[in-house]
Amino acid sequence: MALKFWKRKKKPENKPVNVDNTEEQFDEENKIKGLRVNLLIIIFGGVALLVAGIMFYLLIIQGAFGRIEIDEIAPTEKNIKAALEERTQVALLYSGFTENILPEGSTWISDIVSTWENFLNSHKVKYDLITDLDIEVGVLSKYKLLIAPGAKAISDREKVQIRKFLKKGGSLFATTGIATFSPDGKWDGWNFFTEVFGLKFTKEIDPEEGTRRIHTIRGNLPITAGVPTGYTLNIATWDRPIYAEVLEPRTIQASYWYDFRHERGLVLENIQKSAGIAYGTYGKGRFVWYGFELNSVIGGQEDYIYFDRLFTSSLNWLLYRPTVQFIDWPSPYVAAAIFVPVIDKEPQNFKNLSALSSFTDFTSSIFTSVDNVNLLKKQLRNVSQTRDIGLIVDLGYKESLLDTTNKLSSLDEQRAVILNAKNLADSVLGTKVTKIMPLYGFFDKSTLQVMSQNDMDVIFADSLIDRLVPKTEIYGGKKILVISNTSRDDYVILRDFHLKEPEFQEYTYYEDIDRIKFTGGLYILKIHTDGQLRAENIAVLKKVLKYLQEKNIWVTSIDGLKDWWFRKHGVEIRLDVRSKRRLAVEISNPSDDDMYNFVVKIFINKPVYNVKLSSDIINTKIDEYKYDNKTQILYLYVDKLESHDTRSLLVDYENINEKK
């Protein structure tokens, strides 16, 4: 029937049927019909596979880079052009107006600009060199960041353009007394400086006051990420660096010129009036101001390494690039403190320590000389059950780090002194002494070599004065914690300052505590048996210890500090920008010790919302976190990171400027 039906449907009217060819024609026709059906399936199947492929591709892209809009990756003319033509974001001003008011033949501006060019090139930052006239005609609208080094002479038209640039969201990196002169060399005052930066000029540093000044950097700030808390840069005074005071809450002080070791006066007041670096906002824009020129930074290799980190973090903040930082202290503390009693002269006053028994958090090490170990055998043996005993040893005399007349003892001499003291103390106390304090405050590589060879791991010295946090030295494959004297001890307060009244003593201690808290460093309360441990001075000491307890300061022992610092430096953190809506953070602990209770600050550096933390690795623990909209900082609270463990995290967010 089917055959006849086919013949009937396909038979031509006037053409005879060839019965012999019927089978062949039937097969051919079925092939044609089957081919038509398969083409349709192939077309629809191909489309489905294409859509599935696109969806799969988008899922892969989203898995790696977070949420991506189709129009952001589509091969449109706009996207292709953006990929091929990378926009130069930075403009570097060569201030011809400033050069014109300088003495004839001066190369000051060209030298400064040349230094900036070297820094930018070393960081692979593309920039355009522009002039004052370029700014006047509105060229800044093309850029995200204006760098204005040494630009003391600025025209009124330039000021208008710079203000407009900042108000619309641009960034400004400036140095010293920007816009304090007119192009014709007339004094223009500090109005622009105060209006834009929210700072009040305090004074210039006269080179006659000294050829260099130390400049102390605050810790835990977005523009100081990677620089040790309290690190002191050496700044030459030939360019007359500037002191300033913060006037408005939109401006944050990031450093100070005040030197607590050599300057008198009210500490906090002097710190507030001696800002040397500040950052903040003006309109929708941002600024960073240095009170010195880059050419003025002097010192050794380490100084340039840390200044380079400061420079990099400043650039990142101005260009809205993220940075990451490990908080120095356990959560939730902003600073730390240790209590260091020293048995020196009048050793009988050692017994007055018992009056401080209520301050259990201050259990720490006691330092003493070998002579006093023999004198106080019974008392120290009892104390060594709950406190470590450190030894005061004579390693030679130096007046200062710059002293070239005197020198420390040789390696063999230091070895003999240290081992004789250690062996005697070990036998008397029935314990192993691992801490030393140089009598005159200085040590060298020979000291570290002897300590490494004899399992000693803490040295308390004055040699390290360039930071307000400890430093880890690696010698002979072993870690040694170097602790600097970061504050005024009782000898300074009672002898040098001649402060007899208890309230004056208390206030001086309080000032130092507040200074350390402001900077974010380590406060060391070092007191002596012939000083604050005298019976008549114990009441003041109790008040100081109580004041410490009332602050958000981690009070710990030297061993507690050592354990934390060694563990902290075993943790490594990496940050990678995956896309404009995602960051990847990797926290690893390659050391043999577990790490507990630490905080990682991720400076997202741009206004975002809907911040979420996740991981692209199954079973990765997601720790507690908090995002601060005001500071644009994501706080990650890690309760435990086991030895040789790595935590890979993804930070996803939405950009406020994309909000519909």
Side-chain angles (χ1 to χ4, degrees), residues 97-128:
F97 289 159
T98 303
E99 190 172 50
N100 291 339
I101 68 171
L102 295 174
E104 187 176 352
S106 172
T107 61
W108 188 72
I109 277 292
S110 61
D111 291 343
I112 288 173
V113 172
S114 220
T115 300
W116 277 89
E117 288 185 300
N118 290 336
F119 267 93
L120 293 172
N121 289 329
S122 67
H123 288 81
K124 297 181 180 179
V125 176
K126 292 185 177 181
Y127 65 92
D128 289 335

Side-chain angles (χ1 to χ4, degrees), residues 326 328-330 338 388 435 457-458 470 472 479 481 483 554 556-571 591-596:
F326 195 139
D328 284 327
W329 313 115
I338 56 174
D388 280 332
K435 304 172 179 63
D457 56 12
V458 176
T472 302
K479 296 179 182 178
L481 187 71
I483 304 175
W554 178 44
T556 185
S557 64
I558 291 181
D559 279 338
L561 174 68
K562 177 188 70 177
D563 181 67
W564 165 263
W565 206 255
F566 284 170
R567 290 174 188 268
K568 172 183 179 292
H569 281 267
V571 177
S591 71
D592 295 328
D593 299 311
D594 296 343
M595 183 62 183
Y596 300 92

Side-chain angles (χ1 to χ4, degrees), residues 3 36 204 313 342 429 527 534 552 569 615:
L3 181 58
R36 289 174 181 170
E204 282 184 337
S313 295
V342 177
L429 303 174
I527 49 98
R534 284 178 172 174
N552 189 25
H569 281 267
S615 178

Side-chain angles (χ1 to χ4, degrees), residues 52 178 254 363 372 424 631 651 654:
I178 180 175
T363 302
N372 284 327
L424 175 62
T631 60
V651 181
E654 300 292 336

Side-chain angles (χ1 to χ4, degrees), residues 270-329:
N270 280 295
I271 286 176
Q272 291 168 358
K273 291 183 177 180
S274 66
I277 298 174
Y279 70 102
T281 59
Y282 180 81
K284 294 180 180 179
R286 292 181 171 185
F287 68 82
V288 169
W289 170 78
Y290 286 4
F292 53 90
E293 302 298 341
L294 301 194
N295 296 30
S296 302
V297 179
I298 55 178
Q301 182 179 7
E302 187 178 63
D303 295 297
Y304 290 111
I305 289 173
Y306 287 128
F307 179 71
D308 187 75
R309 293 182 185 177
L310 174 69
F311 178 84
T312 302
S313 295
S314 299
L315 273 181
N316 285 339
W317 190 77
L318 290 168
L319 291 171
Y320 297 85
R321 296 170 179 168
T323 54
V324 64
Q325 189 172 50
F326 195 139
I327 299 297
D328 284 327
W329 313 115

Side-chain angles (χ1 to χ4, degrees), residues 423-463:
N423 292 336
L424 175 62
D426 287 353
S427 62
V428 170
L429 303 174
T431 184
K432 290 186 177 180
V433 174
T434 62
K435 304 172 179 63
I436 63 172
M437 178 185 292
L439 178 62
Y440 298 105
F442 295 96
F443 72 97
D444 56 17
K445 290 183 178 179
S446 296
T447 316
L448 297 178
Q449 182 175 335
V450 175
M451 292 180 67
S452 173
Q453 293 169 347
N454 293 277
D455 297 324
M456 306 184 81
D457 56 12
V458 176
I459 182 168
F460 191 105
D462 283 342
S463 299

Side-chain angles (χ1 to χ4, degrees), residues 62-262:
Q62 187 171 1
F65 301 104
R67 186 177 69 81
I68 299 289
E69 299 288 350
I70 297 293
D71 60 357
E72 294 173 352
I73 59 174
T76 62
E77 182 181 353
K78 177 183 176 182
N79 289 340
I80 293 173
K81 187 176 180 180
L84 294 176
E85 299 178 7
E86 185 180 352
R87 177 186 169 192
T88 302
Q89 299 179 331
V90 179
L92 175 62
L93 172 63
Y94 189 103
S95 180
F97 289 159
T98 303
E99 190 172 50
N100 291 339
I101 68 171
L102 295 174
E104 187 176 352
S106 172
T107 61
W108 188 72
I109 277 292
S110 61
D111 291 343
I112 288 173
V113 172
S114 220
T115 300
W116 277 89
E117 288 185 300
N118 290 336
F119 267 93
L120 293 172
N121 289 329
S122 67
H123 288 81
K124 297 181 180 179
V125 176
K126 292 185 177 181
Y127 65 92
D128 289 335
L129 197 63
I130 64 171
T131 66
D132 300 284
L133 298 179
D134 291 329
I135 293 179
E136 288 185 340
V137 298
V139 76
L140 290 181
S141 59
K142 295 168 49 180
Y143 302 99
K144 287 187 177 180
L145 169 63
L146 168 64
I147 298 174
K152 295 184 178 182
I154 294 274
S155 70
D156 289 339
R157 189 174 295 177
E158 275 184 282
K159 293 176 187 177
V160 170
Q161 292 295 336
I162 292 173
R163 289 192 192 98
K164 186 188 299 183
F165 172 67
L166 284 167
K167 287 178 180 178
K168 288 184 176 180
S171 296
L172 172 63
F173 201 155
T175 58
T176 58
I178 180 175
T180 49
F181 288 88
S182 62
D184 58 2
K186 294 181 180 177
W187 175 249
D188 216 5
W190 295 95
N191 293 334
F192 180 85
F193 178 82
T194 299
E195 178 193 345
V196 172
F197 302 136
L199 294 168
K200 176 185 176 183
F201 168 77
T202 304
K203 73 168 188 175
E204 282 184 337
I205 301 175
D206 193 326
E208 292 185 1
E209 298 176 24
T211 57
R212 64 174 65 190
R213 276 294 182 89
I214 66 167
H215 192 73
T216 303
I217 309 296
R218 290 181 65 190
N220 300 321
L221 299 174
I223 72 165
T224 63
V227 181
T229 299
Y231 193 83
T232 53
L233 289 172
N234 282 296
I235 307 295
T237 59
W238 55 60
D239 285 331
R240 294 181 174 270
I242 289 175
Y243 280 49
E245 180 180 0
V246 173
L247 297 179
E248 301 180 40
R250 64 183 176 88
T251 302
I252 298 173
Q253 182 175 349
S255 69
Y256 53 86
W257 293 101
Y258 177 74
D259 182 0
F260 81 97
R261 293 174 181 270
H262 303 106

